[in-house]
């Protein structure tokens, strides 16, 4: 019967260093993923929609319609402002 051969101390050290490097890389990747998720503002899907272009346009149109019912002369001014904002946004 032969006894199992244990790796030398330097071989075990190299193996341990390699495992530590792999673990550190995994931790770095996990931290980068969580940091990217936290930077996504706002976190609520509803608020992202409302603060986006389509949501902002929808909110603006709803506000204009509500104001035009109460103040009919304001409708012309609101559409003028909308055209100005539309031309300034990329």
């Amino acid at each position: 019967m032969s006894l199992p051969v244990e790796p030398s101390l330097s071989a075990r050290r190299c193996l341990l260093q390699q495992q530590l490097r792999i673990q550190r890389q995994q931790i770095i990747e996990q931290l980068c993923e969580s940091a990217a998720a936290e930077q996504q503002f706002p976190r609520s899907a509803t608020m992202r929609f409302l603060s986006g272009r389509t949501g902002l346009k929808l909110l603006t149109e709803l506000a204009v319609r509500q104001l035009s019912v109460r103040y009919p002369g304001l409708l012309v001014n609101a559409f003028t402002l909308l055209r100005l904002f539309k031309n300034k946004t990329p």
Side-chain angles (χ1 to χ4, degrees), residues 1 9 11 15-16 19 21-23 29 34 40-41 45 47 55 57 60-61 64-65 70 85 87 89:
M1 282 190 359
L9 184 59
L15 180 63
L16 184 58
Q19 289 173 346
R21 270 189 240 114
I22 291 170
Q23 287 177 350
E29 289 172 2
S34 66
Q40 191 177 34
F41 178 80
M47 287 305 295
K57 184 177 179 180
T60 306
E61 287 180 11
V64 166
R65 288 176 193 228
R70 291 188 182 182
F85 285 128
N87 292 336
T89 56

Side-chain angles (χ1 to χ4, degrees), residues 19-67:
Q19 289 173 346
L20 286 172
R21 270 189 240 114
I22 291 170
Q23 287 177 350
R24 286 181 187 134
Q25 187 62 36
Q26 290 173 346
I27 291 171
I28 289 171
E29 289 172 2
Q30 289 174 354
L31 287 175
C32 290
E33 289 173 3
S34 66
E38 288 177 5
Q39 290 176 355
Q40 191 177 34
F41 178 80
R43 289 187 286 183
S44 164
T46 305
M47 287 305 295
R48 275 194 302 251
F49 171 75
L50 292 176
S51 63
R53 287 185 86 153
T54 55
L56 188 60
K57 184 177 179 180
L58 177 68
L59 285 176
T60 306
E61 287 180 11
L62 286 173
V64 166
R65 288 176 193 228
Q66 288 296 318
L67 288 174

Side-chain angles (χ1 to χ4, degrees), residues 53 57 81-90:
R53 287 185 86 153
K57 184 177 179 180
L81 286 174
L82 277 175
R83 281 192 217 118
L84 287 174
F85 285 128
K86 190 183 247 186
N87 292 336
K88 293 202 182 237
T89 56

